[in-house]
């Protein structure tokens, strides 16, 4: 069974590492990895392949730093060529990036079966490029692997049942990765302090496309830092470019993006996560840390319902006050919201079964 895996962005490397490990154990399975090139800096891409022993991509399309249409269009064209050469039985796509929709669409048009890992998530905010990507990818996927029951319910509500595709509650593959790699977590070399800090990541388009909005966030974080809160921010290159461009001053600890093993160390050691990341919201929960999410909406609604995550609107003129009020929030992570950490095995078993019966 030939599985063509489409990867492009940092969180996809982390998710795919767990399925790659299972595929490697299967004697009649072969994985061919396509890296679209969407993320390309060493610490946004290479480090993950090295640290997590992800098999080397057979193809690197080197498509990045383009507008949504140009990036997705070029990926579509190039992935199509690869599929025609490799003739896979499955194309597996992860999450909600431009690489995801390009991979799914190229495969579907060539009548190759598409498996979508992290299907069924909805923020119900169509201004987010991720929401568009995930809705469209779900529409053309043959097997939809849902991380949560709510994701299954979203697909059911949208009339997916009985359409000839298969919905599988696999649990969240990011939990597999977190459980597997937490024993190997390591302190980032750039960080000397050992604890007592709050972890910050900001990169989403809704926060970085508007300088006013990004400045509100930085200003609020600067204020917290002035009041004595230690903050550590591994800065995504997208955000760094804007900060450098405006020459904004940040009065707390900023570091380059770190590999996953370093990131797990930071999440484990911090007292709070402040982010707009999708993945970080869950990882905060895995490690029992409260998460303040600087977004209008989240696709991980169960975290908000369980009071593990507080959504904070950035437009709020009292952003600093709202952050301050929530800074000591605690988390009960005893509910198994994301399964048991065996999503990769469930996914591979389903791919094998669907392959043997012709879906
Ligand atoms: C993408 C995903 C987003 C995901 C994020 C994970 C889409 C629409 N967005 O956003 O859902 O949360 O990845 O991190 O697919 N850049 C670099 N070096 C890199 C990578 C990016 O300099 O290694 C720069 C690019 O040149 C570009 C900017 O960052 O100017 C944005 O990169 P892009 O891949 O378009 O979007 P992300 O913000 O990373
Ligand atoms: N991550 C990392 N190093 C960093 C920042 C994030 O390894 O410097 C990991 C993080 O732990 C999570 C994933 O990257 O597993 C999330 O990626 P990101 O926030 O870029 O994207 P999103 O999840 O929002 O799509």
């Amino acid at each position: 069974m030939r599985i063509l895996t489409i990867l492009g962005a940092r969180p996809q490397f982390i998710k795919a590492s767990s399925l790659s490990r299972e595929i490697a154990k299967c004697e009649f399975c072969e994985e061919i990895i396509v890296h679209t090139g969407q993320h390309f800096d060493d610490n946004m891409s290479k480090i993950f392949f090295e640290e997590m022993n992800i098999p080397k991509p057979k193809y690197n399309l080197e498509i990045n730093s383009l507008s949504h249409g140009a990036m997705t269009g070029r990926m579509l064209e190039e992935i199509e060529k690869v599929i025609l050469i490799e003739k896979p039985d499955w194309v597996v796509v992860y999450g909600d990036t431009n690489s995801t929709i390009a991979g799914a669409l190229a495969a579907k048009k060539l009548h190759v079966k598409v498996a979508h890992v992290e299907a069924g998530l909805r923020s119900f905010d169509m201004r987010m490029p991720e929401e568009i990507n995930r809705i469209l990818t779900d529409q053309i996927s043959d097997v939809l692997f849902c991380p949560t029951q709510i994701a299954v319910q979203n697909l059911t509500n949208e009339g997916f049942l009985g359409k000839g595709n298969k919905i599988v509650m696999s649990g969240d593959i990011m939990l597999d990765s977190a459980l597997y790699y937490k024993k190997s977590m390591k302190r980032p070399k750039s960080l000397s302090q050992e604890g007592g800090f709050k972890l910050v990541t900001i990169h989403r388009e809704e926060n970085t496309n508007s300088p006013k909005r990004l400045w509100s966030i930085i200003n609020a974080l600067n204020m917290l830092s002035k009041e004595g809160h230690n903050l550590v921010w591994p800065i995504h290159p997208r955000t760094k470019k804007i900060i450098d461009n405006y020459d904004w001053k940040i009065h707390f600890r900023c570091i380059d993006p770190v590999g996953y093993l370093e990131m797990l160390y930071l999440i484990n050691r911090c007292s709070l996560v402040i982010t707009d990341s999708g993945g970080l919201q869950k990882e905060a929960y895995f490690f029992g840390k409260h998460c303040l999410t600087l977004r209008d909406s989240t696709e991980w609604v169960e975290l908000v319902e369980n009071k593990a995550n507080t959504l904070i609107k950035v437009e709020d003129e009292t952003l600093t006050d709202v952050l301050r009020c929530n800074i000591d929030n605690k988390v009960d992570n005893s509910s198994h919201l994301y399964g048991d950490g065996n999503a990769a095995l469930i996914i591979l078993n389903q791919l094998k079964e669907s392959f043997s019966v012709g879906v």
Side-chain angles (χ1 to χ4, degrees):
M1 187 170 75
R2 289 166 65 72
I3 299 171
L4 192 78
T5 300
I6 309 292
L7 304 174
R10 172 168 74 182
Q12 295 170 333
F13 311 140
I14 296 163
K15 293 165 198 169
S17 67
S18 289
L19 188 55
S20 288
R21 249 191 338 274
E22 291 303 330
I23 296 172
K25 289 184 217 157
C26 164
E27 52 189 29
F28 72 95
C29 298
E30 184 189 353
E31 182 176 36
I32 305 121
I33 296 183
V34 179
H35 189 327
T36 62
Q38 183 169 350
H39 285 179
F40 52 96
D41 289 345
D42 282 357
N43 58 4
M44 295 290 289
S45 174
K46 190 173 168 213
I47 191 168
F48 296 96
F49 285 84
E50 288 175 357
E51 279 188 349
M52 306 172 83
N53 289 318
I54 305 168
K56 196 172 155 32
K58 183 164 178 190
Y59 299 87
N60 192 328
L61 308 179
E62 295 181 3
I63 300 167
N64 52 62
S65 309
L66 296 165
S67 65
H68 284 283
M71 185 191 284
T72 313
R74 286 207 51 211
M75 287 176 184
L76 181 60
E77 190 178 352
E78 296 305 316
I79 294 170
E80 180 177 67
K81 290 178 194 163
V82 174
I83 295 174
L84 288 168
I85 296 167
E86 296 293 341
K87 298 184 179 40
D89 300 297
W90 288 105
V91 167
V92 177
V93 296
Y94 292 86
D96 51 21
T97 71
N98 290 342
S99 301
T100 314
I101 178 64
L105 191 51
K108 193 67 182 172
K109 290 278 182 93
L110 292 171
H111 310 292
V112 175
K113 299 281 177 232
V114 179
H116 185 202
V117 178
E118 263 194 7
L121 297 172
R122 299 289 182 264
S123 68
F124 301 100
D125 182 353
M126 285 297 271
R127 290 170 305 172
M128 294 173 72
E130 292 81 10
E131 182 76 352
I132 300 166
N133 289 338
R134 60 174 86 97
I135 289 177
L136 297 181
T137 303
D138 284 346
Q139 288 293 335
I140 54 176
S141 293
D142 296 276
V143 186
L144 299 112
F145 291 107
C146 296
T148 61
Q149 279 302 343
I150 291 177
V152 174
Q153 192 57 50
N154 286 337
L155 294 177
T156 310
N157 295 347
E158 290 175 23
F160 272 77
L161 286 182
K163 268 188 170 175
N165 45 32
K166 199 162 181 67
I167 300 173
V168 179
M169 165 61 191
S170 58
D172 188 354
I173 199 161
M174 283 204 100
L175 179 57
D176 295 31
S177 302
L179 291 175
Y180 186 80
Y181 285 104
K182 77 176 185 185
K183 59 182 182 299
S184 317
M185 62 173 92
K186 58 182 190 202
R187 183 168 60 80
K189 285 198 185 76
S190 52
L191 196 77
S192 51
Q193 67 192 56
E194 277 295 306
F197 61 89
K198 291 157 184 71
L199 177 63
V200 177
T201 81
I202 300 291
H203 73 283
R204 286 299 181 101
E205 188 170 290
E206 66 190 276
N207 286 327
T208 53
N209 262 12
S210 151
K212 183 171 173 284
R213 203 172 155 109
L214 185 57
W215 173 248
S216 303
I217 295 173
I218 293 172
N219 191 40
L221 296 173
N222 273 342
M223 300 277 276
L224 289 184
S225 161
K226 233 182 190 173
E227 292 167 16
H229 297 284
N230 265 332
L231 304 172
V232 175
W233 185 4
I235 305 195
H236 189 294
R238 174 191 196 116
T239 317
K240 176 143 193 342
K241 280 178 195 168
I242 300 164
I243 292 170
D244 289 349
N245 189 35
Y246 285 96
D247 201 19
W248 285 332
K249 298 289 173 264
I250 299 178
H251 304 305
F252 53 91
R253 189 69 186 257
C254 293
I255 58 176
D256 287 335
V258 293
Y260 186 55
L261 305 183
E262 292 85 352
M263 196 59 186
L264 290 180
Y265 177 96
L266 293 175
I267 301 166
N268 189 43
R269 287 297 178 104
C270 74
S271 58
L272 178 80
V273 173
I274 303 174
T275 193
D276 60 7
S277 160
L280 254 292
Q281 293 177 55
K282 286 176 295 163
E283 288 163 344
Y285 177 78
F286 300 158
F287 285 83
K289 308 300 161 88
H290 193 81
C291 183
L292 305 183
T293 300
L294 301 184
R295 283 211 220 156
D296 294 348
S297 62
T298 180
E299 57 283 15
W300 303 106
V301 289
E302 58 286 331
L303 291 174
V304 180
E305 282 166 10
N306 279 269
K307 300 192 171 14
N309 189 341
T310 307
L311 275 182
I312 294 182
K313 284 191 193 301
V314 171
E315 283 90 353
D316 200 331
E317 283 174 6
T318 55
L319 182 58
T320 317
D321 293 336
V322 180
L323 289 173
R324 205 186 284 119
C325 285
N326 287 287
I327 226 153
D328 293 319
N329 290 359
K330 297 282 174 271
V331 171
D332 170 8
N333 68 350
S334 53
S335 310
H336 287 229
L337 298 177
Y338 296 103
D340 300 323
N342 56 356
L345 192 58
I346 294 173
I347 291 168
L348 185 60
N349 284 341
Q350 183 63 54
L351 294 182
K352 287 186 202 168
E353 190 188 315
S354 296
F355 175 66
S356 64
V357 296
V359 182

